[in-house]
Amino acid sequence: GAGVSQSPSNKVTEKGKDVELRCDPISGHTALYWYRQSLGQGLEFLIYFQGNSAPDKSGLPSDRFSAERTGGSVSTLTIQRTQQEDSAVYLCASSLFAGMNTEAFFGQGTRLTVV
Amino acid sequence: AQSVTQLDSQVPVFEEAPVELRCNYSSSVSVYLFWYVQYPNQGLQLLLKYLSGSTLVKGINGFEAEFNKSQTSFHLRKPSVHISDTAEYFCAVTSPQQTGANNLFFGTGTRLTVIP
């Protein structure tokens, strides 16, 4: 596609439910990033995928969070047993190749509200 | 690993006045530097980037930034701001020598508010 696409754009869920957030990166981009942005806060790194390498999961806040990237393209971020503190905007970005002179392109984000 | 510090969380400025948003980075290796802008209820978009060459980088919407290696800074400037520049601005750093683990680090952001 023309840009990074995230779905849904908004998600309201009840506390304790599981949610899945989807990211479609730009075709051909090998690096994919997930960030979380809480209200009025900066960007919190969650997880990073680069090609077929093992993902860097060092930013995941708890074992309720997991992510996968199928076929080196689409990524899904899953939050199990959601809590109110999980409410935030979840941003996905992709880049052509990590570590080179390239920029990261961001999606519009998924606004998650846990009630 | 690299890190980025944006000293000012909020910067109010009157319309048509100049503005400087500060960014300092920490790295033991060579870096690429970026400024991203996030308008209300939107994703982040690239404003400008420094990869190599001239230390003065010009971006979109009249913004520019200067890479200062000795001061490890990459401050963003605009000589005359408009109401439409009201947004959140993020400085970011990566390294061409960093592969494998996450290599894109963001500052905490600076909220620029342009006052009519």
Side-chain angles (χ1 to χ4, degrees), chain A residues 41-66:
Chain A
Q41 300 299 309
L43 295 171
E44 177 187 3
F45 165 72
L46 297 177
I47 189 168
Y48 164 69
F49 295 91
Q50 170 53 43
N52 295 321
S53 303
D56 178 353
K57 304 180 181 180
S58 61
L60 295 179
S62 76
D63 58 8
R64 296 186 296 105
F65 287 72
S66 63

PDB file of all heavy atoms in Angstrom, chain A residues 41-66:
ATOM      1  N   GLN A  41       1.880  11.803  26.648  1.00  0.00           N
ATOM      2  CA  GLN A  41       3.220  11.255  26.870  1.00  0.00           C
ATOM      3  C   GLN A  41       3.965  11.073  25.548  1.00  0.00           C
ATOM      4  O   GLN A  41       3.402  11.227  24.461  1.00  0.00           O
ATOM      5  CB  GLN A  41       3.116   9.900  27.582  1.00  0.00           C
ATOM      6  CG  GLN A  41       2.433   9.965  28.924  1.00  0.00           C
ATOM      7  CD  GLN A  41       3.166  10.855  29.898  1.00  0.00           C
ATOM      8  OE1 GLN A  41       4.376  10.721  30.091  1.00  0.00           O
ATOM      9  NE2 GLN A  41       2.453  11.791  30.506  1.00  0.00           N
ATOM     10  N   GLY A  42       5.237  10.712  25.673  1.00  0.00           N
ATOM     11  CA  GLY A  42       6.044  10.450  24.498  1.00  0.00           C
ATOM     12  C   GLY A  42       5.823   9.046  23.976  1.00  0.00           C
ATOM     13  O   GLY A  42       4.840   8.382  24.301  1.00  0.00           O
ATOM     14  N   LEU A  43       6.730   8.603  23.160  1.00  0.00           N
ATOM     15  CA  LEU A  43       6.634   7.292  22.539  1.00  0.00           C
ATOM     16  C   LEU A  43       7.365   6.247  23.378  1.00  0.00           C
ATOM     17  O   LEU A  43       8.531   6.411  23.697  1.00  0.00           O
ATOM     18  CB  LEU A  43       7.248   7.330  21.140  1.00  0.00           C
ATOM     19  CG  LEU A  43       6.549   8.218  20.134  1.00  0.00           C
ATOM     20  CD1 LEU A  43       7.372   8.346  18.876  1.00  0.00           C
ATOM     21  CD2 LEU A  43       5.173   7.662  19.803  1.00  0.00           C
ATOM     22  N   GLU A  44       6.641   5.195  23.713  1.00  0.00           N
ATOM     23  CA  GLU A  44       7.222   4.093  24.478  1.00  0.00           C
ATOM     24  C   GLU A  44       7.456   2.929  23.525  1.00  0.00           C
ATOM     25  O   GLU A  44       6.499   2.371  22.969  1.00  0.00           O
ATOM     26  CB  GLU A  44       6.281   3.688  25.608  1.00  0.00           C
ATOM     27  CG  GLU A  44       6.755   2.511  26.426  1.00  0.00           C
ATOM     28  CD  GLU A  44       5.712   2.039  27.428  1.00  0.00           C
ATOM     29  OE1 GLU A  44       4.584   2.609  27.442  1.00  0.00           O
ATOM     30  OE2 GLU A  44       5.993   1.107  28.193  1.00  0.00           O
ATOM     31  N   PHE A  45       8.694   2.544  23.355  1.00  0.00           N
ATOM     32  CA  PHE A  45       9.023   1.424  22.473  1.00  0.00           C
ATOM     33  C   PHE A  45       8.466   0.120  23.043  1.00  0.00           C
ATOM     34  O   PHE A  45       8.589  -0.147  24.234  1.00  0.00           O
ATOM     35  CB  PHE A  45      10.543   1.325  22.316  1.00  0.00           C
ATOM     36  CG  PHE A  45      11.017   0.024  21.735  1.00  0.00           C
ATOM     37  CD1 PHE A  45      10.809  -0.256  20.395  1.00  0.00           C
ATOM     38  CD2 PHE A  45      11.649  -0.916  22.520  1.00  0.00           C
ATOM     39  CE1 PHE A  45      11.237  -1.460  19.852  1.00  0.00           C
ATOM     40  CE2 PHE A  45      12.090  -2.113  21.991  1.00  0.00           C
ATOM     41  CZ  PHE A  45      11.887  -2.389  20.648  1.00  0.00           C
ATOM     42  N   LEU A  46       7.886  -0.693  22.182  1.00  0.00           N
ATOM     43  CA  LEU A  46       7.343  -1.975  22.617  1.00  0.00           C
ATOM     44  C   LEU A  46       8.128  -3.140  22.027  1.00  0.00           C
ATOM     45  O   LEU A  46       8.674  -3.963  22.759  1.00  0.00           O
ATOM     46  CB  LEU A  46       5.866  -2.091  22.224  1.00  0.00           C
ATOM     47  CG  LEU A  46       4.906  -1.090  22.864  1.00  0.00           C
ATOM     48  CD1 LEU A  46       3.497  -1.282  22.315  1.00  0.00           C
ATOM     49  CD2 LEU A  46       4.925  -1.210  24.375  1.00  0.00           C
ATOM     50  N   ILE A  47       8.169  -3.224  20.694  1.00  0.00           N
ATOM     51  CA  ILE A  47       8.786  -4.380  20.060  1.00  0.00           C
ATOM     52  C   ILE A  47       9.260  -4.002  18.666  1.00  0.00           C
ATOM     53  O   ILE A  47       8.724  -3.090  18.045  1.00  0.00           O
ATOM     54  CB  ILE A  47       7.802  -5.576  20.003  1.00  0.00           C
ATOM     55  CG1 ILE A  47       8.500  -6.857  19.552  1.00  0.00           C
ATOM     56  CG2 ILE A  47       6.616  -5.259  19.113  1.00  0.00           C
ATOM     57  CD1 ILE A  47       7.647  -8.112  19.757  1.00  0.00           C
ATOM     58  N   TYR A  48      10.271  -4.702  18.189  1.00  0.00           N
ATOM     59  CA  TYR A  48      10.908  -4.402  16.910  1.00  0.00           C
ATOM     60  C   TYR A  48      11.159  -5.710  16.153  1.00  0.00           C
ATOM     61  O   TYR A  48      11.688  -6.665  16.713  1.00  0.00           O
ATOM     62  CB  TYR A  48      12.220  -3.679  17.180  1.00  0.00           C
ATOM     63  CG  TYR A  48      13.204  -3.612  16.042  1.00  0.00           C
ATOM     64  CD1 TYR A  48      12.950  -2.841  14.920  1.00  0.00           C
ATOM     65  CD2 TYR A  48      14.418  -4.296  16.114  1.00  0.00           C
ATOM     66  CE1 TYR A  48      13.868  -2.765  13.890  1.00  0.00           C
ATOM     67  CE2 TYR A  48      15.337  -4.222  15.091  1.00  0.00           C
ATOM     68  CZ  TYR A  48      15.074  -3.456  13.981  1.00  0.00           C
ATOM     69  OH  TYR A  48      15.980  -3.375  12.971  1.00  0.00           O
ATOM     70  N   PHE A  49      10.755  -5.728  14.898  1.00  0.00           N
ATOM     71  CA  PHE A  49      11.006  -6.857  14.005  1.00  0.00           C
ATOM     72  C   PHE A  49      11.949  -6.401  12.899  1.00  0.00           C
ATOM     73  O   PHE A  49      11.793  -5.314  12.336  1.00  0.00           O
ATOM     74  CB  PHE A  49       9.697  -7.327  13.351  1.00  0.00           C
ATOM     75  CG  PHE A  49       8.690  -7.887  14.305  1.00  0.00           C
ATOM     76  CD1 PHE A  49       7.734  -7.063  14.891  1.00  0.00           C
ATOM     77  CD2 PHE A  49       8.674  -9.239  14.610  1.00  0.00           C
ATOM     78  CE1 PHE A  49       6.785  -7.570  15.759  1.00  0.00           C
ATOM     79  CE2 PHE A  49       7.718  -9.762  15.479  1.00  0.00           C
ATOM     80  CZ  PHE A  49       6.781  -8.920  16.055  1.00  0.00           C
ATOM     81  N   GLN A  50      12.894  -7.247  12.578  1.00  0.00           N
ATOM     82  CA  GLN A  50      13.801  -6.969  11.457  1.00  0.00           C
ATOM     83  C   GLN A  50      13.967  -8.258  10.656  1.00  0.00           C
ATOM     84  O   GLN A  50      14.630  -9.195  11.114  1.00  0.00           O
ATOM     85  CB  GLN A  50      15.148  -6.471  11.956  1.00  0.00           C
ATOM     86  CG  GLN A  50      16.232  -6.380  10.891  1.00  0.00           C
ATOM     87  CD  GLN A  50      15.833  -5.573   9.670  1.00  0.00           C
ATOM     88  OE1 GLN A  50      15.227  -4.516   9.786  1.00  0.00           O
ATOM     89  NE2 GLN A  50      16.146  -6.079   8.497  1.00  0.00           N
ATOM     90  N   GLY A  51      13.378  -8.288   9.482  1.00  0.00           N
ATOM     91  CA  GLY A  51      13.496  -9.439   8.604  1.00  0.00           C
ATOM     92  C   GLY A  51      13.091 -10.720   9.297  1.00  0.00           C
ATOM     93  O   GLY A  51      12.049 -10.798   9.945  1.00  0.00           O
ATOM     94  N   ASN A  52      13.940 -11.731   9.184  1.00  0.00           N
ATOM     95  CA  ASN A  52      13.667 -13.025   9.800  1.00  0.00           C
ATOM     96  C   ASN A  52      14.357 -13.193  11.148  1.00  0.00           C
ATOM     97  O   ASN A  52      14.318 -14.288  11.728  1.00  0.00           O
ATOM     98  CB  ASN A  52      14.129 -14.148   8.868  1.00  0.00           C
ATOM     99  CG  ASN A  52      13.324 -14.171   7.579  1.00  0.00           C
ATOM    100  OD1 ASN A  52      12.121 -13.952   7.588  1.00  0.00           O
ATOM    101  ND2 ASN A  52      13.999 -14.402   6.463  1.00  0.00           N
ATOM    102  N   SER A  53      14.967 -12.133  11.631  1.00  0.00           N
ATOM    103  CA  SER A  53      15.662 -12.213  12.922  1.00  0.00           C
ATOM    104  C   SER A  53      14.664 -12.282  14.067  1.00  0.00           C
ATOM    105  O   SER A  53      13.506 -11.884  13.928  1.00  0.00           O
ATOM    106  CB  SER A  53      16.569 -10.994  13.110  1.00  0.00           C
ATOM    107  OG  SER A  53      17.504 -10.883  12.061  1.00  0.00           O
ATOM    108  N   ALA A  54      15.148 -12.798  15.193  1.00  0.00           N
ATOM    109  CA  ALA A  54      14.308 -12.818  16.383  1.00  0.00           C
ATOM    110  C   ALA A  54      13.951 -11.389  16.772  1.00  0.00           C
ATOM    111  O   ALA A  54      14.802 -10.505  16.752  1.00  0.00           O
ATOM    112  CB  ALA A  54      15.042 -13.505  17.528  1.00  0.00           C
ATOM    113  N   PRO A  55      12.693 -11.129  17.112  1.00  0.00           N
ATOM    114  CA  PRO A  55      12.294  -9.761  17.441  1.00  0.00           C
ATOM    115  C   PRO A  55      12.923  -9.275  18.742  1.00  0.00           C
ATOM    116  O   PRO A  55      13.238 -10.066  19.629  1.00  0.00           O
ATOM    117  CB  PRO A  55      10.770  -9.859  17.576  1.00  0.00           C
ATOM    118  CG  PRO A  55      10.501 -11.288  17.890  1.00  0.00           C
ATOM    119  CD  PRO A  55      11.560 -12.071  17.171  1.00  0.00           C
ATOM    120  N   ASP A  56      13.091  -7.974  18.814  1.00  0.00           N
ATOM    121  CA  ASP A  56      13.548  -7.339  20.047  1.00  0.00           C
ATOM    122  C   ASP A  56      12.304  -7.021  20.869  1.00  0.00           C
ATOM    123  O   ASP A  56      11.582  -6.077  20.552  1.00  0.00           O
ATOM    124  CB  ASP A  56      14.334  -6.066  19.719  1.00  0.00           C
ATOM    125  CG  ASP A  56      14.792  -5.318  20.962  1.00  0.00           C
ATOM    126  OD1 ASP A  56      14.406  -5.703  22.088  1.00  0.00           O
ATOM    127  OD2 ASP A  56      15.528  -4.321  20.810  1.00  0.00           O
ATOM    128  N   LYS A  57      12.063  -7.784  21.930  1.00  0.00           N
ATOM    129  CA  LYS A  57      10.861  -7.639  22.748  1.00  0.00           C
ATOM    130  C   LYS A  57      11.126  -6.868  24.028  1.00  0.00           C
ATOM    131  O   LYS A  57      10.296  -6.879  24.949  1.00  0.00           O
ATOM    132  CB  LYS A  57      10.312  -9.019  23.129  1.00  0.00           C
ATOM    133  CG  LYS A  57      10.019  -9.930  21.956  1.00  0.00           C
ATOM    134  CD  LYS A  57       9.490 -11.269  22.445  1.00  0.00           C
ATOM    135  CE  LYS A  57       9.221 -12.212  21.297  1.00  0.00           C
ATOM    136  NZ  LYS A  57       8.712 -13.527  21.768  1.00  0.00           N
ATOM    137  N   SER A  58      12.256  -6.212  24.086  1.00  0.00           N
ATOM    138  CA  SER A  58      12.695  -5.620  25.350  1.00  0.00           C
ATOM    139  C   SER A  58      11.763  -4.537  25.880  1.00  0.00           C
ATOM    140  O   SER A  58      11.808  -4.203  27.064  1.00  0.00           O
ATOM    141  CB  SER A  58      14.110  -5.055  25.193  1.00  0.00           C
ATOM    142  OG  SER A  58      14.138  -4.048  24.197  1.00  0.00           O
ATOM    143  N   GLY A  59      10.910  -3.988  25.015  1.00  0.00           N
ATOM    144  CA  GLY A  59      10.025  -2.924  25.458  1.00  0.00           C
ATOM    145  C   GLY A  59       8.650  -3.370  25.923  1.00  0.00           C
ATOM    146  O   GLY A  59       7.871  -2.555  26.450  1.00  0.00           O
ATOM    147  N   LEU A  60       8.324  -4.626  25.756  1.00  0.00           N
ATOM    148  CA  LEU A  60       6.992  -5.095  26.154  1.00  0.00           C
ATOM    149  C   LEU A  60       6.836  -4.950  27.670  1.00  0.00           C
ATOM    150  O   LEU A  60       7.659  -5.448  28.427  1.00  0.00           O
ATOM    151  CB  LEU A  60       6.785  -6.540  25.729  1.00  0.00           C
ATOM    152  CG  LEU A  60       6.756  -6.791  24.221  1.00  0.00           C
ATOM    153  CD1 LEU A  60       6.574  -8.267  23.923  1.00  0.00           C
ATOM    154  CD2 LEU A  60       5.660  -5.968  23.556  1.00  0.00           C
ATOM    155  N   PRO A  61       5.763  -4.299  28.131  1.00  0.00           N
ATOM    156  CA  PRO A  61       5.638  -3.976  29.554  1.00  0.00           C
ATOM    157  C   PRO A  61       5.291  -5.150  30.446  1.00  0.00           C
ATOM    158  O   PRO A  61       5.549  -5.094  31.647  1.00  0.00           O
ATOM    159  CB  PRO A  61       4.530  -2.920  29.572  1.00  0.00           C
ATOM    160  CG  PRO A  61       3.737  -3.175  28.344  1.00  0.00           C
ATOM    161  CD  PRO A  61       4.687  -3.684  27.326  1.00  0.00           C
ATOM    162  N   SER A  62       4.678  -6.187  29.899  1.00  0.00           N
ATOM    163  CA  SER A  62       4.346  -7.353  30.721  1.00  0.00           C
ATOM    164  C   SER A  62       4.118  -8.541  29.805  1.00  0.00           C
ATOM    165  O   SER A  62       4.087  -8.406  28.576  1.00  0.00           O
ATOM    166  CB  SER A  62       3.072  -7.086  31.535  1.00  0.00           C
ATOM    167  OG  SER A  62       1.917  -7.181  30.721  1.00  0.00           O
ATOM    168  N   ASP A  63       3.956  -9.712  30.407  1.00  0.00           N
ATOM    169  CA  ASP A  63       3.746 -10.917  29.590  1.00  0.00           C
ATOM    170  C   ASP A  63       2.330 -10.970  29.019  1.00  0.00           C
ATOM    171  O   ASP A  63       1.988 -11.913  28.299  1.00  0.00           O
ATOM    172  CB  ASP A  63       4.050 -12.180  30.390  1.00  0.00           C
ATOM    173  CG  ASP A  63       3.214 -12.304  31.650  1.00  0.00           C
ATOM    174  OD1 ASP A  63       2.273 -11.491  31.839  1.00  0.00           O
ATOM    175  OD2 ASP A  63       3.491 -13.202  32.450  1.00  0.00           O
ATOM    176  N   ARG A  64       1.500  -9.985  29.325  1.00  0.00           N
ATOM    177  CA  ARG A  64       0.179  -9.918  28.688  1.00  0.00           C
ATOM    178  C   ARG A  64       0.290  -9.408  27.250  1.00  0.00           C
ATOM    179  O   ARG A  64      -0.648  -9.539  26.468  1.00  0.00           O
ATOM    180  CB  ARG A  64      -0.751  -8.996  29.482  1.00  0.00           C
ATOM    181  CG  ARG A  64      -1.079  -9.478  30.890  1.00  0.00           C
ATOM    182  CD  ARG A  64      -2.131  -8.591  31.557  1.00  0.00           C
ATOM    183  NE  ARG A  64      -1.669  -7.219  31.767  1.00  0.00           N
ATOM    184  CZ  ARG A  64      -2.047  -6.174  31.043  1.00  0.00           C
ATOM    185  NH1 ARG A  64      -2.900  -6.318  30.034  1.00  0.00           N
ATOM    186  NH2 ARG A  64      -1.577  -4.962  31.307  1.00  0.00           N
ATOM    187  N   PHE A  65       1.436  -8.816  26.935  1.00  0.00           N
ATOM    188  CA  PHE A  65       1.651  -8.255  25.610  1.00  0.00           C
ATOM    189  C   PHE A  65       2.471  -9.229  24.766  1.00  0.00           C
ATOM    190  O   PHE A  65       3.484  -9.770  25.233  1.00  0.00           O
ATOM    191  CB  PHE A  65       2.418  -6.928  25.697  1.00  0.00           C
ATOM    192  CG  PHE A  65       1.617  -5.779  26.219  1.00  0.00           C
ATOM    193  CD1 PHE A  65       1.270  -5.709  27.564  1.00  0.00           C
ATOM    194  CD2 PHE A  65       1.207  -4.758  25.381  1.00  0.00           C
ATOM    195  CE1 PHE A  65       0.525  -4.641  28.058  1.00  0.00           C
ATOM    196  CE2 PHE A  65       0.474  -3.685  25.864  1.00  0.00           C
ATOM    197  CZ  PHE A  65       0.129  -3.630  27.199  1.00  0.00           C
ATOM    198  N   SER A  66       2.055  -9.410  23.532  1.00  0.00           N
ATOM    199  CA  SER A  66       2.824 -10.222  22.600  1.00  0.00           C
ATOM    200  C   SER A  66       2.591  -9.684  21.203  1.00  0.00           C
ATOM    201  O   SER A  66       1.599  -8.972  20.948  1.00  0.00           O
ATOM    202  CB  SER A  66       2.425 -11.696  22.682  1.00  0.00           C
ATOM    203  OG  SER A  66       1.071 -11.863  22.296  1.00  0.00           O
TER     204      SER A  66
END
